[in-house]
Amino acid sequence: DTGVSQDPRHKITKRGQNVTFRCDPISEHNRLYWYRQTLGQGPEFLTYFQNEAQLEKSRLLSDRFSAERPKGSFSTLEIQRTEQGDSAMYLCASSFYNEQFFGPGTRLTVL
Amino acid sequence: DQQVKQNSPSLSVQEGRISILNCDYTNSMFDYFLWYKKYPAEGPTFLISISSIKDKNEDGRFTVFLNKSAKHLSLHIVPSQPGDSAVYFCAASARNSGGSNYKLTFGKGTLLTVNP
């Protein structure tokens, strides 16, 4: 399978813990995106990388959130001191041009 | 303020008939539009897109129409099949200063149910 992959698919954590998610994009795609989706809403943009450079961060991405793409390949999204409001589906997408292709998502539940 | 609106939360059609999903947008800077299909517990799957320089794009059973003056687009599925039952999201993007479209703004989605 050469699509976008995300790990883990599900994460349950206690409030205050740190979590890290990984995204492996389609290999030839130089652009990588993170989105968050909550129940009844469409995905909301969080951040965007072109190669290893993080070019934009949404206001949704508080100081507790950090994303990296160290070698322009895979990316990680870390949430520190998780809160119950962080419970959501975290989606990664990649693209070469305008059409973005999404991974299966990581479902985060903060207890 | 929702910049992309899908005003119908759900739509039910009979197998073999046409499904028409609608989307309105308010940001006149949007110049690229996409439709995604999403099954439960999966990520969105890209279906079809259209640039603002066109008013129609067709791919198999899927056709997207864009009316720039009305800031409205629609997705037509003909003929509809039970496997098309999913949530459909409309998304839009605007070109940035570097000439690239990247940040997608999504609607809330429309649940399509195709009955056998």
Side-chain angles (χ1 to χ4, degrees), chain B residues 24-96:
Chain B
D24 297 292
Y25 62 96
T26 57
N27 188 340
S28 58
M29 299 302 291
F30 287 149
D31 62 356
Y32 203 82
F33 305 88
L34 308 91
W35 283 94
Y36 286 85
K37 177 172 74 174
K38 188 179 184 302
Y39 295 117
E42 294 184 11
T45 300
F46 170 72
L47 279 177
I48 192 168
S49 61
I50 187 166
S51 165
S52 60
I53 62 173
K54 296 185 175 181
D55 54 18
K56 176 183 174 181
N57 190 26
E58 191 171 355
D59 184 2
R61 296 185 298 114
F62 302 91
T63 303
V64 56
F65 295 92
L66 175 63
N67 182 334
K68 290 185 290 293
S69 61
K71 294 191 177 66
H72 177 83
L73 63 157
S74 61
L75 175 68
H76 292 209
I77 307 174
V78 183
S80 301
Q81 300 172 353
D84 295 330
S85 297
V87 177
Y88 287 77
F89 289 99
C90 170
S93 68
R95 194 163 303 202
N96 66 4

Side-chain angles (χ1 to χ4, degrees), chain A residues 2-4 24-30 69 72-73 94:
Chain A
T2 57
V4 178
D24 287 90
I26 295 170
S27 58
E28 61 267 27
H29 287 179
N30 60 345
R69 194 182 183 199
S73 56
S94 70

Side-chain angles (χ1 to χ4, degrees), chain A residues 29-89:
Chain A
H29 287 179
N30 60 345
R31 300 178 186 179
L32 187 146
Y33 316 80
W34 286 97
Y35 290 82
R36 181 174 70 184
Q37 185 177 20
T38 53
L39 197 61
Q41 303 295 318
E44 294 175 289
F45 173 81
L46 292 178
T47 190
Y48 157 62
F49 290 86
Q50 181 146 332
N51 300 311
E52 66 275 10
Q54 187 174 21
L55 297 185
E56 182 167 339
K57 292 171 59 173
S58 163
R59 289 171 296 172
L60 292 175
L61 221 61
S62 75
D63 291 344
R64 297 184 297 106
F65 288 71
S66 62
E68 294 182 344
R69 194 182 183 199
K71 296 182 180 179
S73 56
F74 73 92
S75 175
T76 58
L77 177 67
E78 180 183 16
I79 309 174
Q80 295 183 328
R81 305 180 303 281
T82 53
E83 301 173 356
Q84 287 185 324
D86 297 332
S87 295
M89 174 76 85

Side-chain angles (χ1 to χ4, degrees), chain A residues 74-110:
Chain A
F74 73 92
S75 175
T76 58
L77 177 67
E78 180 183 16
I79 309 174
Q80 295 183 328
R81 305 180 303 281
T82 53
E83 301 173 356
Q84 287 185 324
D86 297 332
S87 295
M89 174 76 85
Y90 289 84
L91 294 161
C92 176
S94 70
S95 76
F96 185 73
Y97 193 51
N98 289 339
E99 288 78 20
Q100 296 181 22
F101 296 87
F102 284 81
T106 295
R107 168 73 64 189
L108 173 65
T109 302
V110 182

